[in-house]
Structure formats: C-alpha cells, structure tokens
Amino acid sequence: MPLSGTDTWLLPDSLPMEGLFAALASEFGVDIGPEYGATVVYADSFDWRLYQQGYLLHCHGSCWTLFQDDNDEVTVQQGGPELDGACFARDFPSGRLRELLAPILGVRCLLPLATVDLHGRQIRLLNQDEKTVARIVVEAQRPVDGEQRFHLVRLFGVRGYGDEQEQLRRILAQAGVAQPVSPLVGFEEGCRAKGRSLLDYSPKFDLELNGYETAREAMARIYLFLLSAITRNLPGVLADYDPEFLHDLRVAIRRTRSGLSLVKKVLPPPVADRFGRAFGRLGALTGPVRDLDVFLLAREQSLERLPPSLRPGLEDFYAGLSRNRQIEQKKLVRALRAKKYKTIFAAWQRTLKGRDRKQADLADLPVRDLAGRIILKRFKRVIRVGRALDASTPDAEVHRLRIQCKKLRYTMEFFGSLYPRQEMQILIRHLKGLQDILGSFNDLSVQREMLGQALASLPAVTRPNLDQAAALGGLLQGLFTEQQQLRVHFSEAFAQFGDQETVTLFHELFGRRQESA
C-alpha cells in the first residue's frame, strides 16, 4: 500500500521541535528545508482502484499529485480539474497523469475521500563527508472533518547507510519518539470522519461462511451482505456519479433474487415470495438506465465499426440516447427516493436479523448439506441447456443460458468458502470465460434491438435522417457479424467448460454429501 514502507512515529507533545533538532544535530549534520503547508483533498474511486494498485492521489485546487508504493517521491504532478463532487480520468488534460489514471479507473469517477491540512518540513541528515545518509519529514496532519491533529516523524533511508539509520532510530527513541503509526494516519482518520475506511468496499462477493451455520443462518448472512451492497451503492446511483454504482446495485439485487429463487425452503415461503417480488420490481425499475449505459459505454467501439463517412449519423443517434438517459435517470431517482423502498430495505433487514414465526422446512439443515446439492443441480442445467445450442439458436435461447450461468455463478460464490479454494477458482475461472462471451453476446443483442427500434421509428425522409439510417444500418450489420463470431467462441469455451475433467471436478466437489465439521 502507499507509503507503507516508511518508518513513522508520533511525535510526543512534550518534545519541542528545537529539542528534536538539537538531538539530531548532536550526531549528524542537519539541513532543514523550508516549511511547506497545504490543504489537500485525497481522491479515489468508490471501490479503491488506485489504492489497490499502490497509488495515493490528492489535489490542492487544480494541482494534482500522485504517489506510488512506499516512495515519498512524487510520481506525477500536474494540473487537472478541480474536484467538485466527482471527476473522471477523461477530465484531465493529456499527459502522464491521465495515462496512468485512465486504465485503472476505467469508467469509475474520482470522489473526494478526505480533506487534510498538511504542514511540515524535510530534514536531510549528513555524515562527516557531507553526504546524505537519511531524510526525515516532520509533519502535522489534521483531518478537516476530524478533531485530532497528528504530529509525525517519518524516516526515509538512503541505500548504503544502514548503520547511520539505526543510529538515527536510537536517537529518536531516546528523545521519546517511539510510538509507531501509519504514515497515512491523517488520511485514514479523515476517511473515518466521513464514514469510510480503507478498502471498505469491493464489488466482489467476499463472504466467509464458517461451515457450522444452519442454512437459515448462512443465507441470512449472505442476504445482509448483499443488502449492504445495495444501500451503499444507492447514494451513488441517486447522484449519478458513474455507471458502476448502478451496475453494482443491480448485481446485488440479482444475487438476492437468485438466492430467494434457488435456495428454497430456508425462509418461510410467504417471506421469500414477498421480498422476491419486491426485489424483482426494483430490478425492473433500474433496467432502462442500465441498458442505455451499456449502449453509451460502447459509443467509441461503435464509431470505430463504421467508415468515417457514416459516423456523423451515429453521433446524432448517440446524442439522442444521452437525452433519453437523462429522462430515464430522473424517473429512476424519483422512484428510488420513494419511501416504500426504505421501508422494504428496513423490513428485509429486520426479517433477516429476527426469528421466523414458523420456520421453513430446511431452515435448520446444515448449510454444508444444502450447498453442494444446489450447485450441482445448477451445473447440470447449464450443461443441458448449453449442449442444446447451435449456430442457429435464437438469441433468446442464448440469453436463457446466460441466466442459467449467472445462477450457477451466484450459488458458487455464496457457498464457495465451504470448498477448497484452488478447485473453486479453477471452476469459476472456466465459468467466467463462458459468461464473458455470453455477456458480450447479450449486450450486442440489446444494442441490435435498440438500433432496430430506432431505425423503424425514424420520421419522414430528410437528409439528417438518411444519414442516421445509413449509420444505424451499417452498425446493425457490424453487430450481427460480431455476434456470429461470438457464437464460434462460445462453442470453444463451452466445450472446455463441459469437458470430462470439469464435469468430474464438479461431481467430486459437490456430488458427495458434505460432512459437518
């Protein structure tokens, strides 16, 4: 993680700066740099994409600074947009910073995470030959939204002077500098003041079941995990920061619905039916905006599919899609702000944390005994549906297989922690390869359907409409050709997924009855 390799300690309030400088000067030459100070805003995506890659990014007005790993040296510093709510990699001017941010962030925006006042100075420590043997930074960090100010001493070694650095550590310890602390303590505290903590959100389903739970206990934990993902993404959907908030929210909804439909007789049927319908309505409500997002995210690819002469017509079409999305987004926000969804979420949470008046038939069954049975059933269905597909299979049937693969994937994620990690990773990797192809195929189907509707609804013949019709027709042909290519790739991927080795591994893992520990 960024700056994790530095030696950092809290500076005792009882130790004045003059006393620290005097202690250092007793053994080293001391070169004290000028004092610096700024109020900086730390930024990252909601899912910590920069931090996960070892980067730390902050801005001071329109000046942005990027640090990497445990190096206190600036990786990149350049001008950019002022961080007013949210901004994207594309908002930065061409240059090294934009080149670094774009592939990491993708479609995710940068959000302000913490605002911190920084004041300090750098000190070079010299030997008798006037060579730098170490650097220390004495810095005060105060989160603007917090109450505490942190006075730090950070040591940065210079290669080849290990003895001198050990001597420096002894001097600091003798002066009372002995309490280690994170070099990012101000940033971390600033995040906590805003209700965040480092790496506190990931779109991945990562829940460890201990294997001792009943089916009711395990599914309650799973549903609560998914409810947290829904409620955490909801503010980003309402603010329309970036399309991944809606995507992650929809995935959590789908996983919840799949759990209710696949893991039966664990919750009382009236409860499962009630909330299944509620989450079904919520999923349908979010569909139109997501479909438009998928189309708009493919804009550049679509333009590249056409010759330059047809691209202006497609630009007009995408401008219309953008306007439609704004309309659908407003409808979605109005619906999601309705009190009934807060009521549904609260009722769902109470249900999961409470006790059922009348337990379902399989509520007390050990989750180990239930998991394998469900996973193997879904796998057999995927194999059966997949083997029935051929080059002439209608898109709707391909979509049906995609849904079956999703259901298999969700059940494997729900109960994956109950099985050997390596084998589960192998199976999920094969399944994901199949899903990627089916997902791309479905996206192309949705786009073709929307293009067909747009083409059919074009008004009377005019030059702009003719240009748009020509562009849409050309794009339709290109999308159809790509779908045919994906059918070939699917056949190859499915042959691998359904080979004897994979089938055997599924049956070995999930076919035998899981013994309770």
Side-chain angles (χ1 to χ4, degrees), residues 211-271:
Y212 295 97
E213 297 111 326
T214 64
R216 172 59 164 84
E217 292 167 341
M219 292 311 300
R221 288 187 59 202
I222 289 168
Y223 291 138
L224 287 169
F225 182 92
L226 296 173
L227 179 59
S228 175
I230 292 171
T231 56
R232 294 201 64 185
N233 278 286
L234 190 55
V237 173
L238 296 175
D240 200 19
Y241 285 135
D242 67 45
E244 289 300 286
F245 284 98
L246 180 59
H247 174 261
D248 288 359
L249 179 137
R250 281 174 55 81
V251 169
I253 292 171
R254 282 201 304 268
R255 283 174 169 150
T256 300
R257 293 177 61 200
S258 292
L260 289 168
S261 66
L262 299 174
V263 188
K264 297 179 179 179
K265 298 183 180 180
V266 170
L267 291 175
V271 172

Side-chain angles (χ1 to χ4, degrees), residues 298-370:
R299 175 180 173 275
E300 294 303 319
Q301 288 178 298
S302 297
L303 288 170
E304 291 174 1
R305 291 185 178 104
L306 295 179
S309 61
L310 294 180
R311 291 176 186 174
L314 196 59
E315 290 280 17
D316 293 340
F317 171 70
Y318 271 102
L321 285 185
S322 296
R323 290 190 294 270
N324 289 343
R325 190 199 178 279
Q326 291 175 359
I327 294 170
E328 293 297 333
Q329 173 67 17
K330 289 179 181 178
K331 292 180 183 178
L332 177 60
V333 169
R334 283 197 299 270
L336 290 177
R337 289 191 187 279
K339 184 178 179 181
K340 67 178 181 179
Y341 285 110
K342 291 183 180 179
T343 302
I344 288 170
F345 296 152
W348 182 227
Q349 185 177 58
R350 285 195 305 272
T351 298
L352 297 174
K353 291 185 175 181
R355 298 184 63 180
D356 301 324
R357 293 180 181 177
K358 182 180 179 182
Q359 282 199 332
D361 293 345
L362 302 182
D364 287 333
L365 187 72
V367 67
R368 286 180 178 271
D369 294 346
L370 185 65

Side-chain angles (χ1 to χ4, degrees), residues 106-143:
V107 299
R108 296 239 69 158
C109 68
L110 289 169
L111 293 169
L113 296 175
T115 303
V116 181
D117 285 330
L118 301 176
H119 294 275
R121 57 181 58 189
Q122 184 177 126
I123 304 166
R124 287 193 308 127
L125 302 176
L126 313 173
N127 62 12
Q128 293 180 346
D129 298 328
E130 295 293 310
K131 292 188 176 180
T132 302
V133 298
R135 292 181 299 116
I136 65 170
V137 171
V138 180
E139 184 173 83
Q141 302 179 3
R142 186 184 71 82

Side-chain angles (χ1 to χ4, degrees), residues 279-295:
F279 283 106
R281 289 192 295 269
L282 183 57
L285 186 69
T286 60
V289 176
R290 180 57 189 172
D291 287 345
L292 287 164
D293 279 343
V294 171
F295 216 124

Side-chain angles (χ1 to χ4, degrees), residues 128-186:
Q128 293 180 346
D129 298 328
E130 295 293 310
K131 292 188 176 180
T132 302
V133 298
R135 292 181 299 116
I136 65 170
V137 171
V138 180
E139 184 173 83
Q141 302 179 3
R142 186 184 71 82
V144 170
D145 296 300
E147 298 179 355
Q148 189 173 358
R149 181 186 297 271
F150 301 92
H151 295 274
L152 312 179
V153 177
R154 295 165 51 196
L155 166 62
F156 299 90
V158 176
R159 185 174 299 177
Y161 295 98
D163 291 342
E164 289 83 350
Q165 289 153 32
E166 285 302 316
Q167 182 182 8
L168 174 57
R169 290 187 180 91
R170 287 193 296 271
I171 293 172
L172 292 174
Q174 291 169 1
V177 181
Q179 183 178 346
V181 70
S182 166
L184 302 178
V185 62

Side-chain angles (χ1 to χ4, degrees), residues 430-477:
H430 289 328
L431 178 58
K432 186 177 183 300
L434 194 59
Q435 284 186 281
D436 288 344
I437 295 172
L438 292 170
S440 297
F441 187 94
N442 183 69
D443 289 346
L444 293 173
S445 294
V446 172
Q447 292 176 47
R448 285 180 62 202
E449 183 177 355
M450 292 180 68
L451 287 170
Q453 293 172 353
L455 192 57
S457 64
L458 280 176
V461 176
T462 63
R463 180 66 198 201
N465 288 341
L466 285 174
D467 290 343
Q468 191 170 141
L472 297 182
L475 186 55
L476 274 167
Q477 179 59 45

